[in-house]
Amino acid sequence: MFVRVLGAAAGGGFPQWNCRCTGCTRARAGDPAVKPRTQASLAVSADARRWVLLNASPDLPAQLRAAPALNPDISGPARNSPVHAVVISGGDIDCIAGLLSLREGHPFTLYADPFVQKIIDNNEVFSVLNRDFVRCAPLSAQGETELRDAQNQPLGLWVEAFPVPGKIPLYQEAGKDAANLVNDQAVIGLSLRAASGRKVFFIPGCARVTDSIRHLVSGGNVLFFDGTLWADDEMITAGMGTKTGARMGHISVCGQDGSIAAFAQTPLARKIFIHINNTNPILCDDSQEAAFVRAAGWEIAFDGMEVTV
């Protein structure tokens, strides 16, 4: 299985357009230790020719242009693309907005669970995805779904969706009680399997690590996991907001309740943080926090990172 990180940052990207935190300032100045990153998404393929997108970020057009393997085939028709399917893990803007950039009549299959499918069906703007070209298919609630293109041809990959503790999208919060913001239907994790049996797990948003998540990913080949915030009060301490990570539906990287500690005893070949907020110091390669992450056996995703499983 071939995996390319299209984007590694959380919503807003890095540097964020309206932020002058230390990391954003260094990235904007071209500091080689602080790589700019676009909003989180992966491209996965069984043959390095036909690709499946995991989430469609607002930065999708630029992400596709930056990946030669995802550019149109110069020997193909005037309009063509190696993107054959898109799998969505949540209803947040940074998961679905890029779908609007796939409206130019290219055939692909869109996979989503009922929560996300309802969001797409109920919003007229997504009607620009011409259903003569875009085949909508459900993700199985039980077991794996074989991924297929718009012509129903198999792509050599299987996906299993599983619930993770997460928060409803920001635009759905109006009028809601805070206690109901985090639930087990709003966000899913994805397990991608190739015919070889090798697996990649993609969990870009997670409020807490449960025993069931640890058990599911145990022994997996690669885990891409929510690296949004270094500490729960990071946004408050940085003067960038009033919400904790828990309030935003994201577990912290550090601390006894953080993700490093949560997976410390879970056997995994590779563990990679993705969906990293612009305030998170691990985005600076020379920071103490980044060194701590690496020493704990984790990697920090960057745009263009390639993993072969």
Side-chain angles (χ1 to χ4, degrees):
M1 194 184 328
F2 303 91
V3 182
R4 180 184 174 95
V5 176
L6 297 180
F14 180 69
Q16 185 170 299
W17 66 278
N18 64 342
C19 182
R20 62 173 183 85
C21 71
T22 300
C24 285
T25 300
R26 291 179 64 184
R28 201 173 281 118
D31 190 324
V34 189
K35 305 179 185 72
R37 290 161 166 89
T38 57
Q39 295 169 86
S41 177
L42 297 183
V44 185
S45 176
D47 56 14
R49 295 186 301 104
R50 301 171 301 161
W51 291 85
V52 176
L53 306 184
L54 306 186
N55 288 344
S57 90
D59 299 316
L60 184 58
Q63 292 171 339
L64 295 179
R65 286 193 293 271
L70 290 156
N71 288 180
D73 183 351
I74 59 174
S75 64
R79 283 192 174 184
N80 72 89
S81 170
V83 174
H84 290 278
V86 182
V87 185
I88 304 295
S89 71
D92 285 302
I93 293 297
D94 48 339
C95 295
I96 63 174
L99 291 173
L100 300 177
S101 296
L102 300 178
R103 66 187 184 276
E104 280 83 18
H106 173 68
F108 66 94
T109 303
L110 175 61
Y111 290 91
D113 71 351
F115 181 88
V116 173
Q117 192 61 62
K118 183 177 180 181
I119 290 173
I120 293 173
D121 290 344
N122 289 348
N123 192 321
E124 290 184 357
V125 71
F126 287 104
S127 66
V128 298
L129 294 174
N130 189 334
R131 297 307 170 90
D132 290 338
F133 297 96
V134 180
R135 184 173 74 95
C136 293
L139 289 170
S140 173
Q142 300 291 331
E144 295 181 326
T145 299
E146 184 179 26
L147 296 179
R148 293 173 174 266
D149 65 16
Q151 287 74 45
N152 205 33
Q153 295 301 306
L155 296 171
L157 294 170
W158 290 258
V159 63
E160 181 177 0
F162 52 91
V164 300
K167 187 184 73 63
I168 63 174
L170 180 63
Y171 55 83
Q172 291 190 332
E173 288 189 17
K176 302 276 187 180
D177 184 274
N180 297 323
L181 296 181
V182 175
N183 63 65
D184 287 342
Q185 277 115 28
V187 180
I188 59 173
L190 301 172
S191 170
L192 273 292
R193 179 179 65 83
S196 64
R198 294 181 176 272
K199 288 186 176 182
V200 170
F201 292 92
F202 181 57
I203 311 176
C206 185
R208 67 184 184 280
V209 177
T210 63
D211 288 340
S212 62
I213 291 175
R214 274 188 287 265
H215 176 75
L216 182 65
V217 306
S218 179
N221 297 94
V222 181
L223 169 65
F224 287 92
F225 190 77
D226 184 351
T228 306
L229 298 177
W230 173 253
D232 188 57
D233 63 350
E234 179 178 308
M235 298 286 290
I236 299 171
T237 301
M240 301 293 174
T242 60
K243 296 178 182 178
T244 63
R247 170 61 179 79
M248 294 187 290
H250 295 288
I251 188 174
S252 301
V253 169
C254 76
Q256 62 181 8
D257 296 321
S259 50
I260 289 179
F263 287 108
Q265 304 303 317
T266 305
L268 284 155
R270 295 179 70 175
K271 298 173 287 188
I272 304 171
F273 282 121
I274 197 168
H275 194 273
I276 307 165
N277 196 58
N278 61 289
T279 57
N280 193 330
I282 70 172
L283 288 170
C284 301
D285 292 341
D286 54 1
S287 68
Q288 292 181 344
E289 292 84 357
F292 183 91
V293 164
R294 293 190 292 266
W298 285 77
E299 301 172 61
I300 302 165
F302 56 88
D303 289 26
M305 182 182 193
E306 295 184 342
V307 177
T308 301
V309 182

